[in-house]
Structure formats: structure tokens, C-alpha cells
Amino acid sequence: MGLLAPSVSVDAVMLEARAAALGKRSIKTSAKLEGITLAIRCTDLTTLEGKDSEGRVRSLCAKALRPRPGWPNVPSVAAVCVYPNLVSVAKDALRGSSVAVASVATAFPSGLSNIEVKLADTAAAIASGADEIDMVIDRGAFLAGREQAVFDEIVQVKHLCGNVHLKVILETGELGTYDNIRRASDLALEAGADFIKTSTGKVGTNATPPTALVMCEALRDFARRTGERRGLKVAGGVRTTKDALAYLVIVKETLGDGWLDPKYFRIGASSLLDDLLMQLEKEQTGHYAGSDYIPKD
Amino acid sequence: MAVFEYAPAPESLRPAIRERYGLFIDGKWASPAGEGHFDTINPANEARLAEIAYATPTDVDRAVRAARKAYEKYWRRLKPADRAKYIYRIARAITERGRELAVLETIDGGKPIKESRDFDIPMAAAHFFYYAGWADKLEYVLRAGREPSPLGVCAQIVPWNFPLLMAAWKIAPALACGNTVVLKPAETTPLTALALAQIIEECELPPGVVNVVTGDGATGSALVEHEDVDKIAFTGSTEVGKSIARRLAGTDKRLTLELGGKAAHIVFADAPMDQAIEGVVNGIYFNQGHVCCAGSRLLVEERVHDEIVVRLTERLQTLRLGDPLDKNTDIGAINSRAQLEKIQELVKSGVEQGATLVQQRGDLPARGFFFPASFFTNVHPSHRIAREEIFGPVLSILTFRTPDEAVDKANNTPYGLSAGIWTDKGSKNMWIAQQLRAGVVWCNTFNQFDPGSPFGGYRESGFGREGGVHGLYEYLAH
């Protein structure tokens, strides 16, 4: 593999201090309004539950297209993210729109299957019309030091994807240290990931501000080294407008304004959109609407 | 195109400020004997904030007498646990009025509100809480069998960079040990010391236990030279510190000095680089570099010099310079016109001596005293910017090749207040820390403070310690 030789080390104490300092940015009035709209545009509206059905995916797609019917200034989200067997339903519901369909793949969420199954999983999602693939890395292999195996899997999935956008989920909550998160980020970028993504949303610890910060640092160094801009997706546990704005701040101040675009930044979330809409209405009208004014699905 | 620009987020509280402040002597507010006053201004817009009494030697004498009387009559006789109650009361009042004090500190001194709100004021309260706890446990401070007894009247002179915090560092241990105090705040930043006097009044401390006299260097001189002062604690410039030491020679007054610095901040090639850069930024740009322990001499391993310069240049552009009251401001105003001129003069000398200046881009506010975050490369150890304390947001970058050379260069200064080391290798961190002649050495961090941790200098950075148990030795006869 064309892997960079030494690992980049990360100091946990100072990393967390920096993330906490960025979390104290005060985002008010026009900035808040712009941030909320941007966060909506960057959302991958997600449903990844065993009980997902065609009907649920269709209503999610309707919401993805027009998050707030009657409010024409509210943009569509970036994508809808579903399991592979529901891709065709989402594709149909979103036909002709700007909203992409993302599919999880490669034995999501554990990634514990053989490579043939993972590739077949990916191929099926692409055949059903997926515009984007959210794959998972094999954390067992990574933690056991078999980095080459992890790298090769990403390369193979990327090869299969071709022009289909590939997001590589590191499952940072299982990697244990920021050093490992940085290493896995570098490895995924080197192997061809279009995006690096924090989490599946299926383990105890999902996206956190320090995790996003260390991944931004990897993206920034990659861009500096290669001249190529790759993206970040934070996922899992991002529920409030405040959380979303905090991630926008981290991206803005670490990577720069060029990354504040759905092409390079996504938030994977399900309930976040409701809070964004509620806060948007509050910013525009000066008062909070009850949560019952926001459609749930 | 600019995306997601932060809108102004100004702190909205406007604390009540008196038109004119008197001196706080013997528990009362008094006009100065000479009826003289001077203005204190907001360095961010040069607007006048209040008129401040100018204390003459006569006023200083009244304050010292009041402190003496309070010492003999009440404070030294008070049960230690009761002294503690008063000090706890001050600590709580500072916490309760934290927001108001933070705004005062920011408008009078120019520092960003996020720093006064999150650092200066909470840390000032923490020192009062910490030393209140010691007041009735002093027999555990000295060696067994020694009776802890106070010194008497303490003259305490504090600087303008952390006005309330430095007052807390000095007043809290002095009171805990049973001393009384005459405090002289800096000429450009008297407001929080005067607010503290109001708090002390409201806490109903016995009159004269804490007195506050405002003025300039002459006021400070009168205090230092007063014959009934038992102890002088001074934080400020090395030049003034030396002059105080000279004047006290041959007297039996006790003295502690916390003076300037030119701290080495050492970054090895194996450091966690992104965090090291944050440490460097915090080390020099915190409080516009108006920090005696600022990491103002960056020593970087030669092989990572260029990488660090690139990263630091980029990072400078994300620092937000402007209105200190805006909650998103990282770099506020320079404390005074005189200090701005001193910084400008030293930066000019750096350019003239051949160093390369890198600065954050963008316009400075039209009014007020501002200086962009800056650093120099191609600095040689003989340059003035490598030797003299700039006390502004200006970093000098030098290189080294081996750990021995790093230590030699780090110690090659008359100062010795603080130092910082960044390396991923624990053994190297510990080895270097042992070699550095500095009162505090931060490993893979910078500017960490705690009331329980002593702070003070080697050599021309002063002597004596503030904070922790060590801070109590300086206020006890032993």
C-alpha cells in the first residue's frame, strides 16, 4: 500500500481542550440562521433500524425534499441514508431531485463478514441506484494491527464504487484512542475514501467534538500534502442545533470555509432535523413553536 | 466567499461604574489628600471610564496606619476559623458577581471577555476559596513545633495584566495567615481592585484589614518605603523589582518579587504537532501576550521548523482580533498606549536586526490600541527580540538540533519563570524538565494554573512563591 510511514501522534488533553474552546464560540442572530440552513443542507437524513419499511422510507424522503412544507426558504437535505434493500424505494421517491440516496454497505454495522459478501453487498446497493456508499472498516483487523487488510478492503470497495461517492466509517467509538482515530483517518484517505465518517450510530460512543477535530486535522494535512479536498461526516448522537453548530465551527476553524458545503461536510442524523427546524422558526419569528408543529417523519 | 461568518456576540451586561473613585482606607471611601485624580480608560476605544483617586504619601501613610491598627486590634487576634469565614465570604461574592467583574476587567484592561469570564475571575475566586481553607490549618504548614505567626502589614503591588487575579494571589494568603493589607493596583487597571474593595466592604471585614490605594509608581514607592510596612509583595517588571530590592537592602522588611520572563517553549520533532501548535498559540497569544510566563521564545527542532512555520502562519489567520467584549474575540486590545509603543519599538528592532516578521492579516480597529498576532523567524539569540521581554503578542522562533542544545538555549536568559516542552517521549520530557532553570515547566501543555500549585521565578524572574502551601511561607514568620 502507498501508506505514509509514521503515525501522527495526538495529545488527548490538548485536543480535548481545543475542542472545548471551539465549543464556546457564540453563534448568534445572522450566524445562527446561516448555520442552521447550512446544517440542513449538509444533513444525511438517516433511518437505519431493523423495523424500517418502504412506507417509513417514503415519508422520510418526503421530509428530506421539503423539510418544512410552506416554508420555501428551507432547503432540502443532502441525502437520505438507508439500508441496501430500501435504496430503490428511496431512489424512486427522490427521483428528479437534488437529494442523493446513500446506502450503508459492507456488512454494516460490524463489518465482520468476508470480502466477497461485503463487495456483493456494495454492488447490490449500487445496482439499486445508490449515489453514495457508507462502508464500515474492519475494526477487529485494525486493532489487531492488520492495517494492510483494512486498507485493501477500502481500495476494493472504492474500485467497485467507481464514481459512486464512498464514505468510510471508522467507528471511532471502538478505536479507543485519538492516535488510532488519526491513524485510521490517514489510512482511509490514502486508500481512496471520498469522505471519512465517524460512526455507525450503533455503538455507545458516536461522534464527539474532539473526534471530529482530529479527523479534520487529518483531512487538512491530506489536502496540504496532495492538494485534494476530501470530506467529513459526523454521525450518531448529533441531536441538537447546538451540537450541529459546534461541528460547523470545528470544520470552519480547522479546515476553512471551503469545507462548509455538502460536498465536503455531512451530518448523519435522524432527529436533528426537527430541532434545526424548531430553532429556525424561533430565529425567524422570535418564538418557539411546539414540537408538534414539526412533522415527525 | 465567506461562509458562516460569526455575527457580533457582545457581552451585554454594563456594570455600574462610579464617576469618581476615592481611596478605600480603614473601611471607608476617602478623598485623596492632594485631591488629585486621573482617568482610567478603555484601551479598546480610548473612552474614559472613571476618575481614579491619586494617592499621595500622606494617603499611603493613612492606609498603612489603618492596616496596622486593624492588625493589632482585630485581625491577628481573631480565631483562625473566623478569619476563614471572611475569606470564604469574599470568594463567594466574587463568584456571585463574576459576570460583572469579568466585564470590568475587560473594559479596563482590554483582554477578551472569554478570558476574563473563564479564567481571571473564576481563578481569583478559587484562590480565595483555597486559602480560606488553610486559615485554621497553618500549624501543618511549618515544620513540627513551630508556631505559625503572621508578619504584620503587607504592602502588595499588582500589575495590569491580570489585575483581579494578581490581587487575589496576594490578598488571600496574606489574610489567611493573619496579616493585614495595603493593595496598590496598577495605574491603568484599577477598576476590579476597587470593585473588590466594594466586595470587602459588603462582606463586612473589620475596617483596615484590606485597604486599596490607587496611583502610579510614586504611590507604589511611598508604600514600599513606608517604615511601618513589614512585607512587600510585588509583581511587575524586573526593572522596578530590582529597584525595590535595592531600596529594601538593610531593612528588615520581607520581600517577594514576581517579575518578567522570556520563557522557552521547546517543540521536538516527535511532538503531537497539532496540539503543540495550539500550545504555542495559547502560550504567546493568551491575553495579547501580556503574560509574564508567556512562551515567547519558541525553540523548535530544526527538521520541523518549516512545517511549524507553515502551520503557525495558517493558524494566525483564524485568530479573531477585535472588540474585547465580543465573546468570540481571541485577541483583544493592548493594555495601554505606552505598552503598544513598546511592542512596536521592539518589533521594529527585530525587523531592523534582520529577522522575518509574519503577522495575522486583516485591518485593526480604527480606535483603541491593537497589535496583530505576530511571530519572527530567522531570529538569532543575540537579537533583542530573543532576549528582551516584549510583553505583547509577538513570538520569536529559534531552532535547535539536539536535546542538549535545546536546554542550553532555553537556559540562556537572565530570566527563569516558566518553560514548556512538547514531545511524545515521556523520558525526554522528564529529562529536559529537570535541566530547565524555570519556576514552572509545562509538559505537553501550557498556562495551566491551580491555586494549589506554587508559581514563581528563578534568577531575574524573582523569588518567593505564590500559590499552594509554598505561598503561605511568604506570609508567616519562621
Side-chain angles (χ1 to χ4, degrees), chain B residues 73-361:
Chain B
K73 206 166 149 192
Y74 317 107
W75 200 246
R76 69 179 300 185
R77 299 175 192 278
L78 201 61
K79 243 173 67 182
D82 289 332
R83 287 204 304 263
K85 286 182 197 164
Y86 283 112
I87 304 168
Y88 277 124
R89 212 182 273 176
I90 297 170
R92 284 194 300 271
I94 290 174
T95 306
E96 283 159 14
R97 292 167 63 169
R99 194 171 164 207
E100 171 193 339
L101 290 165
V103 173
L104 282 177
E105 203 72 299
T106 285
I107 59 178
D108 205 19
K111 69 173 63 202
I113 187 74
K114 71 170 185 184
E115 291 179 11
S116 46
R117 176 195 68 195
D118 297 343
F119 180 73
D120 290 67
I121 310 304
M123 195 56 77
H127 273 264
F128 280 103
F129 277 117
Y130 175 83
Y131 280 114
W134 271 116
D136 59 354
K137 302 169 193 73
L138 295 173
E139 66 267 32
Y140 301 104
V141 172
L142 302 177
R143 266 178 295 154
R146 293 211 169 192
E147 210 35 45
S149 61
L151 299 172
V153 175
C154 300
Q156 305 185 318
I157 301 172
V158 296
W160 45 259
N161 56 344
F162 296 93
L164 184 69
L165 181 58
M166 291 301 104
W169 278 25
K170 290 192 164 36
I171 294 175
L175 295 187
C177 292
N179 305 282
T180 57
V181 166
V182 180
L183 177 80
K184 196 209 84 75
E187 189 183 354
T188 58
T189 54
L191 287 186
T192 47
L194 293 165
L196 181 63
Q198 287 174 310
I199 285 172
I200 282 166
E201 192 181 12
E202 286 161 19
C203 291
E204 296 177 335
L205 257 73
V209 171
V210 176
N211 306 275
V212 178
V213 292
T214 42
D216 60 6
T219 312
S221 277
L223 190 54
V224 166
E225 283 165 7
H226 195 288
E227 59 183 18
D228 201 28
V229 163
D230 298 296
K231 144 107 198 185
I232 286 123
F234 172 80
T235 297
S237 73
T238 293
E239 190 191 344
V240 175
K242 283 180 177 174
S243 139
I244 292 174
R246 274 195 296 270
R247 279 181 285 166
L248 293 197
T251 72
D252 60 357
K253 290 176 187 170
R254 296 263 298 263
L255 175 64
T256 48
L257 295 173
E258 202 261 87
L259 309 174
K262 190 76 185 176
H265 206 163
I266 306 170
V267 180
F268 285 95
D270 62 7
M273 207 49 79
D274 279 302
Q275 290 74 47
I277 295 289
E278 288 310 313
V280 168
V281 166
N282 176 284
I284 187 64
Y285 304 123
F286 183 63
N287 198 25
Q288 297 75 246
H290 301 328
V291 184
C292 44
C293 57
S296 52
R297 267 188 312 145
L298 183 63
L299 296 171
V300 301
E301 197 168 335
E302 203 170 280
R303 68 176 72 187
V304 286
H305 171 271
D306 293 354
E307 180 193 346
I308 284 176
V309 168
V310 168
R311 285 170 185 263
L312 204 54
T313 305
E314 276 186 16
R315 182 68 176 86
L316 280 197
Q317 313 315 326
T318 65
L319 290 169
R320 304 173 62 86
L321 181 148
D323 179 8
L325 276 178
D326 191 302
K327 291 169 192 164
N328 292 326
T329 291
D330 299 317
I331 310 266
I334 300 300
N335 185 266
S336 65
R337 183 181 298 282
Q339 187 58 30
L340 179 62
E341 285 167 358
K342 187 188 155 197
I343 295 166
Q344 287 165 336
E345 192 271 318
L346 270 160
V347 167
K348 190 159 159 268
S349 87
V351 173
E352 283 168 2
Q353 289 190 300
T356 309
L357 178 65
V358 178
Q359 294 187 307
Q360 71 177 131
R361 293 184 289 269

Side-chain angles (χ1 to χ4, degrees), chain A residues 58-124:
Chain A
R58 283 191 190 280
S59 57
L60 198 74
C61 290
K63 188 169 178 178
L65 282 169
R66 273 176 299 278
R68 190 75 206 263
W71 287 50
N73 290 337
V74 177
S76 302
V77 303
V80 163
C81 182
V82 296
Y83 273 115
N85 66 327
L86 291 163
V87 167
S88 55
V89 178
K91 197 66 195 171
D92 182 52
L94 294 168
R95 202 168 300 283
S97 78
S98 64
V99 180
V101 177
S103 173
V104 295
T106 72
F108 179 93
S110 71
L112 295 179
S113 192
N114 60 48
I115 184 68
E116 290 76 21
V117 171
K118 292 184 189 182
L119 291 174
D121 194 17
T122 309

Side-chain angles (χ1 to χ4, degrees), chain A residues 9-11 14-15 18 24-31 34-35 217 220-221 224 248-249 252-253 257, chain B residues 2-7 9 118 271-272 274-275 278-279 311 314-315 318 320 327-328 330 422 424 444:
Chain A
S9 70
V10 181
D11 182 81
M14 197 68 191
L15 178 79
R18 172 71 176 149
K24 287 192 170 178
R25 288 297 192 205
S26 180
I27 306 302
K28 301 284 183 216
T29 59
S30 62
E34 191 187 345
E217 288 167 356
R220 186 205 51 205
D221 290 353
R224 190 181 286 149
L248 291 178
V249 166
K252 179 182 173 69
E253 297 205 26
D257 289 358
Chain B
V3 185
F4 189 43
E5 283 299 297
Y6 303 157
D118 297 343
D274 279 302
Q275 290 74 47
E278 288 310 313
R311 285 170 185 263
E314 276 186 16
R315 182 68 176 86
T318 65
R320 304 173 62 86
K327 291 169 192 164
N328 292 326
D330 299 317
W422 290 85
D424 227 20
N444 289 349

Side-chain angles (χ1 to χ4, degrees), chain A residues 235-259:
Chain A
V238 190
R239 292 197 181 84
T240 65
T241 298
K242 195 164 183 255
D243 294 339
L245 294 176
Y247 287 114
L248 291 178
V249 166
I250 289 172
V251 170
K252 179 182 173 69
E253 297 205 26
T254 312
L255 291 166
D257 289 358
W259 263 267

